[in-house]
Structures are given as structure tokens and as C-alpha cells.
């Protein structure tokens, strides 16, 4: 009776598509969510190709046909992978967990396309259709790529400097009572001040706008890293130190091999918070003083009413932020592999 009930539940779950992305022998065959995704991408392609664009005072939106044919190509690819099932190999296994997103993405793009290029409900040039992004990436990729490179270099310099300073300050005040007495009040008083509020002073005293931007990003990064590192070091179980001292551990051993490893989960929380703060200051600094980067590109695009370029830069910025956060997650997983199962995120 119990076995029969379990089989019925598994059968209903399989019919509902709940096992998409789960490799279970005998259950996964044709990828039905993939077929649905292929249908939605095909619908997007047909809407783009067969529905004429609304005239908005110039010839037409460029790359409309290319966008439509690309959607149809994605639909064909997904249909092949869906029908192939397990025979599609690793590519299908990677795509299966994102099946619902592969359905939602063309629906959102379709709504965007209809409201802009097809009906003109959203006013131009403030709202451009999706194919306008293809035009920006194909014709302005050099300027956009250079701006991305400048932003990445600035972010790496500022985040690395701020993370290092914050870690050293946090570890010092967490370990030393004397340092905590003098530094902790200053940290509590000045730390919450937004780094962007110091923008005029930074650009006045720094030898260059680039140095001022690095300083501001480092300042925004260092505060959460210092506070979380201090908290992590200060909250280490005192029995760890007692055991280590009993075995003859030196002061440096207690710091480097006991306090800091035990505080690493808190340190990484501070780094995640610092990275978010660094992104916000990065854009502000590039808009106000630095003559290159994605923030500068956004301001330049807004000045020329090139809103398609602005949206393209925002997408690049989102990809850059997401990639760096993913990289930091990878580093955290590697550094805290010895604590796997004991740390909840």
C-alpha cells in the first residue's frame, strides 16, 4: 500500500514537471519545459518578424529582423534539446534547472517589444525596444568595452585596498583591547558616514580623480569588512584559545591559526556587503569626476539622449556585478570548505 502510494506521487510529480533538471533513470525523457520554452521563443520571433513596427518619426528600428531570427534560432535549439532528452548530454543538464526562466524570458521580451516597437505605448527615445540593444552592442562595443575595463580596474583597486585595510583594522581591534579602545569609537563615529558624502573632499585632496575614486571605493568597502571582522574575532569561543595555550601555542599562532580562521565566515559577510557598497560608490565617482568607466558612459549616454546605450550599459553593469559576486562565492566556498555543513548562508 505504501509502495503504491509513493509510485503515484512520483508519477504525478513527473507529470507536473517537478523532476525537470533531476537526473533520475527511467523518469526523465522528453524535456516538456524545454518544449514550452521553445514555443514561447518561437512566438517572440514571429511577433518580431510578422508584426510591423510602429512609425516613430524615423525610418525604423534597426536589427528588428536579426532579433526575430535570433529568437527563432533559440526556439529551434531548445526544441532539439527538449526532444533529445537525456541524449542531449551535458548542455541539456545545465539548461534544465533554468527551464522556467527560459519560458519567462521570451514572455518578458515579448511584452517589452510590443509596448515599444509594435504599439509605441512607452514613449521614445526613453524606452527603446530590445533590438536597439543589439545595435548598441554591435556598433558601440569598443567604447562600451573600454568603459567596462576601466570600471573593473577601478573596482578591483578600490575593493582590494578597502578589503585589506578593513580586515587588518577589524582583526586588530578584535584582538587587542588597547586598539579597540582607541579605534572602535572612531570607527563607530565615522564609519556610517556614506563614502559618497566625502566626494568633494576626496577630489580636492587627492592628486588625481582616479586616486580619489579608489579612496572612496576603499572607504566604502573597509567599514563593513572591519566591523564584521572585529565581530568575528571577538566572538571566537574562548575555550579554543585555552586549548591552544595548553598545547603551547604562541600569540601569533592564536591570531593566525585560531582567531582569523574562526572569524572567516564573518569576514566573507563583510566582503559581500563591501562589494555592494563599492558598486554604488563606483558609479557615483565615475559620474562625478572620473573620465572613463561605466558611470561615465551612463552620463554620456544620458547627455546625448542615447537611452539605448544607457540600457546596454546597465545590463553590462549588472552582468559585471553578478559575475564578481559569483566569483566571491566561489572563493568563499573554497576557503571555508573545512567548515562545510557547519556554516549557514
Amino acid at each position: 500500500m505504501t509502495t503504491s502510494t509513493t509510485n503515484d506521487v512520483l508519477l504525478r510529480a513527473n507529470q507536473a514537471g517537478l523532476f525537470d533538471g533531476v537526473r533520475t533513470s527511467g523518469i526523465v525523457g522528453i524535456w516538456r519545459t524545454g518544449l514550452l520554452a521553445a514555443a514561447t521563443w518561437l512566438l517572440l520571433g514571429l511577433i518580431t518578424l510578422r508584426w510591423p513596427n510602429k512609425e516613430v518619426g524615423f525610418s525604423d528600428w534597426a536589427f528588428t529582423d536579426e532579433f526575430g531570427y535570433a529568437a527563432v534560432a533559440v526556439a529551434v535549439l531548445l526544441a532539439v534539446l527538449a526532444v533529445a532528452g537525456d541524449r542531449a548530454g551535458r548542455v541539456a543538464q545545465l539548461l534544465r534547472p533554468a527551464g522556467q526562466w527560459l519560458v519567462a524570458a521570451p514572455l518578458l521580451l515579448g511584452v517589452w517589444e510590443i509596448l515599444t516597437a509594435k504599439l509605441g505605448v512607452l514613449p521614445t527615445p526613453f524606452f527603446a525596444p530590445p533590438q536597439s540593444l543589439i545595435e548598441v552592442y554591435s556598433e558601440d562595443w569598443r567604447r562600451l568595452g573600454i568603459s567596462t575595463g576601466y570600471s573593473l580596474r577601478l573596482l578591483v583597486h578600490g575593493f582590494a585596498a578597502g578589503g585589506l585595510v578593513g580586515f587588518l583594522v577589524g582583526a586588530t581591534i578584535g584582538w587587542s583591547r588597547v586598539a579597540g579602545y582607541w579605534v572602535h569609537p572612531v570607527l563607530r563615529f565615522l564609519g556610517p558616514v556614506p563614502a559618497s558624502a566625502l566626494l568633494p573632499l576626496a577630489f580636492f585632496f587627492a592628486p588625481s580623480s582616479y586616486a580619489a575614486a579608489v579612496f572612496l571605493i576603499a572607504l566604502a568597502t573597509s567599514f563593513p569588512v572591519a566591523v564584521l571582522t572585529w565581530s568575528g574575532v571577538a566572538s571566537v569561543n574562548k575555550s579554543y584559545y585555552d586549548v591552544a595555550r595548553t598545547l603551547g601555542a604562541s600569540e601569533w599562532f592564536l591570531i593566525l591559526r585560531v582567531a582569523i580562521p574562526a572569524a572567516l565566515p564573518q569576514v566573507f559577510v563583510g566582503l559581500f556587503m563591501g562589494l555592494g557598497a563599492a558598486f554604488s560608490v563606483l558609479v557615483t565617482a565615475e559620474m562625478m569626476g572620473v573620465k572613463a568607466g561605466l558611470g561615465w558612459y551612463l552620463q554620456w549616454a544620458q547627455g546625448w539622449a542615447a537611452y539605448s546605450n544607457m540600457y546596454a550599459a546597465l545590463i553590462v553593469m549588472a552582468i559585471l556585478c553578478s559575475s564578481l559576486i559569483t566569483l566571491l562565492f566561489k572563493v568563499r566556498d573554497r576557503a571555508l570548505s573545512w567548515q562545510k555543513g557547519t556554516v549557514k548562508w
Side-chain angles (χ1 to χ4, degrees), residues 17 25 36 48 139 162 165 188 222 236 296 315 339:
S25 60
L36 180 60
T48 305
E139 296 182 356
V165 171
R188 291 186 61 178
S222 61
V236 174
W296 171 85
I315 291 176
Q339 288 191 345

Side-chain angles (χ1 to χ4, degrees), residues 187-212:
L187 193 65
R188 291 186 61 178
F189 182 71
L190 296 178
V193 177
S196 55
L198 302 176
L199 198 67
L201 292 177
F203 281 101
F204 179 78
F205 288 105
S208 65
S209 58
Y210 184 83

Side-chain angles (χ1 to χ4, degrees), residues 64 101 107 183 299 305 316:
T64 297
W101 279 106
L107 294 177
V183 178
Q299 195 173 36
V316 171

Side-chain angles (χ1 to χ4, degrees), residues 35-241:
L35 287 177
L36 180 60
T40 53
W41 280 99
L42 180 62
L43 178 62
L44 172 64
L46 293 177
I47 289 175
T48 305
L49 293 172
R50 306 299 296 177
W51 189 343
N53 292 338
K54 182 179 181 180
E55 295 184 3
V56 290
F58 52 89
S59 58
D60 199 359
W61 292 108
F63 291 91
T64 297
D65 291 343
E66 288 81 356
F67 178 60
Y69 288 127
V72 173
V74 174
V76 173
L77 178 62
L78 287 174
V80 171
L81 293 175
V83 172
D86 289 341
R87 292 169 295 178
R90 186 172 177 79
V91 176
Q93 293 179 23
L94 292 175
L95 289 177
R96 281 175 185 267
Q100 284 78 8
W101 279 106
L102 290 174
V103 177
L107 294 177
L108 294 175
L109 288 173
V111 172
W112 183 4
E113 175 75 12
I114 291 173
L115 293 179
T116 52
K118 304 306 178 186
L119 296 179
V121 174
L122 299 177
T124 55
F126 304 105
F127 297 95
Q131 54 265 39
S132 65
L133 300 182
I134 301 176
E135 181 180 4
V136 174
Y137 291 133
S138 62
E139 296 182 356
D140 202 27
W141 62 270
R142 184 182 298 277
R143 183 182 305 171
L144 196 55
I146 293 174
S147 298
T148 305
Y150 275 111
S151 290
L152 185 61
R153 185 185 66 168
L154 179 60
L155 184 67
V156 168
H157 287 169
F159 181 73
L164 180 61
V165 171
F167 174 76
L168 294 177
V169 170
T172 302
I173 63 177
W175 182 259
S176 171
R177 291 184 178 180
V178 176
Y181 176 81
W182 290 104
V183 178
H184 187 229
V186 177
L187 193 65
R188 291 186 61 178
F189 182 71
L190 296 178
V193 177
S196 55
L198 302 176
L199 198 67
L201 292 177
F203 281 101
F204 179 78
F205 288 105
S208 65
S209 58
Y210 184 83
V214 170
F215 168 76
L216 291 173
I217 294 172
L219 187 64
T221 305
S222 61
F223 177 63
V225 175
V227 171
L228 270 300
T229 303
W230 162 69
S231 175
V233 173
S235 60
V236 174
N237 195 331
K238 303 301 180 187
S239 61
Y240 294 169
Y241 300 132

